[in-house]
Amino acid sequence: MKPALVLSGGGARGAYQVGVLKAVADLHVKKARNPFSIISGTSTGAINAVALAASANNFRLAVKKVEAFWRRLHVDQVYKATSWDLMVSVSILIASFFNDGVGRNRPLALLNNDPLRQLLIDSIQFKNIQKRIDAGYLDAVAVNATGYTSGESVTFFQGHSDLNKWRRNRRVGIPTTLGVEHLMASSAIPTIFPAEKVSREYFGDGALRQLAPISPVLKMGADRVMVIGVSANPVTTPHREMATHSPSLAQMVGHLFNSAFIDSIEHDLDMLVRFNDLIGMTENENPYTFFGEMRKVPLLAIYPTVEFDHIAANHIQDLPWAMRRFMKNTGATDKGGGASFASYLLFESGFCKELIDCGYRDAMEQEQAIIDFFKD
């Protein structure tokens, strides 16, 4: 049995994943090893994935470390958010108009996320990843990013030597030794955080061109998949009242982010469910049908049961003054309709704690499904 964990991207929304993982850990015996053979993450999901892999010998302890990371988090540990920092960034963007639209000393972006790089270096023992793989605690861990030059969805993975690279339909798998540069690349939200150079190419957030988020773990041999989403289940999402004003800038950008971070994973989940149903019906009609490499893949998807937009609107006041003004002026509030945009940048402990608690409750409501997922 090779269960895989797929952690989608979503900026600060990634805290929700920690709550779900905490519930999974509580449903296993104390000091249990990592229950996932393969872990794949995108954007902040990549950060969570690599942190879990580095401590795969003790799953509950690994989750506690990741939880402590999120519960202590503040914006100034992720990006520089003073008035001066924002003025400098805007000035650089304006100066780029006279330089063919590119940055001279660093890639262009609204926010400087240098603090995140140091935080990741201090928080994750990258050298332990290979040790956990060699000891048999997991087969592979993967980080997904998007190449700005090639336009390809690239999966950087570290695992057993028998795992081969792949290339198909602008999806590429590259074996490597994961480091902080891969996490910075995967979490580089376009226009918000600067692109990261890995080898000879600049990379951005993995959700940009990731049309099949589940595909990498299947390529690496997963036979069942758990997916943790960061948006309310589309089947149960409540109807919203229609706004009476034109869309704000933050509202429009929020929809673009939702399209990148949420739509692809939901589409891929829907395709996998349909594929499993098709194989199941065919097997019922003809048990001896040969499917070749195709196979049913048991799936467990856990979605938030609450709207993160409303939670974010209640925590915007936690942001530094300059970021609060920025959010208000761009319409990233409940009134402006752009609270969804704010939820991606709300790296504040109050917001993250609430999402962790939501994730734990949602997972515990599917306790039996989680237990069944890990049964042979």
Side-chain angles (χ1 to χ4, degrees), residues 46-313:
I47 295 174
N48 290 335
V50 171
L52 290 176
S55 298
N57 57 311
N58 189 324
F59 185 63
R60 184 170 297 187
L61 179 59
V63 173
K64 283 185 177 180
K65 289 180 179 179
V66 180
E67 182 183 6
F69 173 93
W70 282 95
R71 286 188 178 274
R72 295 196 301 260
L73 198 60
H74 292 287
V75 160
D76 57 9
Q77 295 175 288
V78 179
Y79 55 84
K80 298 180 180 180
T82 66
S83 299
W84 174 254
D85 293 319
L86 291 177
M87 288 176 60
V88 169
S89 295
V90 172
S91 298
I92 293 175
L93 289 173
I94 295 174
S96 72
F97 295 162
F98 305 96
N99 189 43
D100 295 329
V102 299
R104 286 182 178 273
N105 300 318
R106 58 179 296 133
L108 297 175
L110 178 64
L111 300 173
N112 182 333
N113 64 346
D114 283 344
L116 176 61
R117 185 186 303 274
Q118 190 59 50
L119 177 63
L120 295 176
I121 292 173
D122 294 340
S123 302
I124 300 176
Q125 296 295 317
F126 292 93
K127 63 182 180 181
N128 286 343
I129 297 175
Q130 193 60 46
K131 294 180 182 178
R132 308 310 180 203
I133 293 172
D134 293 340
Y137 293 114
L138 76 162
D139 293 337
V141 57
V143 171
N144 302 288
T146 300
Y148 277 115
T149 301
S150 64
E152 294 176 327
S153 176
V154 179
T155 298
F156 297 102
F157 66 90
Q158 186 170 350
H160 292 306
S161 57
D162 58 348
L163 290 175
N164 299 317
K165 62 182 179 180
W166 68 81
R167 178 183 293 275
R168 183 180 180 184
N169 299 333
R170 290 191 177 272
R171 301 197 300 270
V172 183
I174 300 176
T176 189
T177 298
L178 295 174
V180 68
E181 67 275 14
H182 299 99
L183 297 186
M184 294 298 291
S186 182
S187 58
I189 301 175
T191 72
I192 303 298
F193 296 141
E196 179 77 9
K197 192 173 185 180
V198 180
S199 187
R200 294 174 295 177
E201 186 175 7
Y202 281 98
F203 288 86
D205 199 293
L208 285 176
R209 296 297 296 271
Q210 194 179 37
L211 301 179
I214 301 175
S215 176
V217 299
L218 299 180
K219 290 282 187 183
M220 290 184 280
D223 57 16
R224 62 189 60 194
V225 181
M226 176 184 288
V227 177
I228 306 178
V230 293
S231 177
N233 190 323
V235 177
T236 60
T237 300
H239 177 73
R240 298 181 181 181
E241 293 184 5
M242 300 296 290
T244 57
H245 56 76
S246 62
S248 65
L249 176 62
Q251 187 174 7
M252 291 186 286
V253 174
H255 280 293
L256 291 175
F257 283 2
N258 289 342
S259 176
F261 290 112
I262 298 169
D263 291 356
S264 60
I265 189 70
E266 291 182 350
H267 173 74
D268 209 22
L269 284 171
D270 184 58
M271 290 296 293
L272 182 56
V273 170
R274 291 173 182 269
F275 187 76
N276 284 341
D277 290 343
L278 179 61
I279 292 181
M281 288 187 294
T282 304
E283 287 178 337
N284 289 335
E285 294 179 2
N286 188 352
Y288 301 103
T289 301
F290 177 68
F291 293 99
E293 294 183 354
M294 296 186 295
R295 66 189 190 279
K296 288 181 67 175
V297 180
L299 171 68
L300 175 60
I302 300 179
Y303 289 97
T305 55
V306 296
E307 286 281 341
F308 288 170
D309 300 12
H310 300 318
I311 299 176

Side-chain angles (χ1 to χ4, degrees), residues 1 3-4 36 224-226 298 300 369-375:
M1 183 176 73
F36 299 100
R224 62 189 60 194
V225 181
M226 176 184 288
L300 175 60
I370 293 174
I371 293 173
D372 292 342
F373 177 82
F374 291 104
K375 287 182 178 179

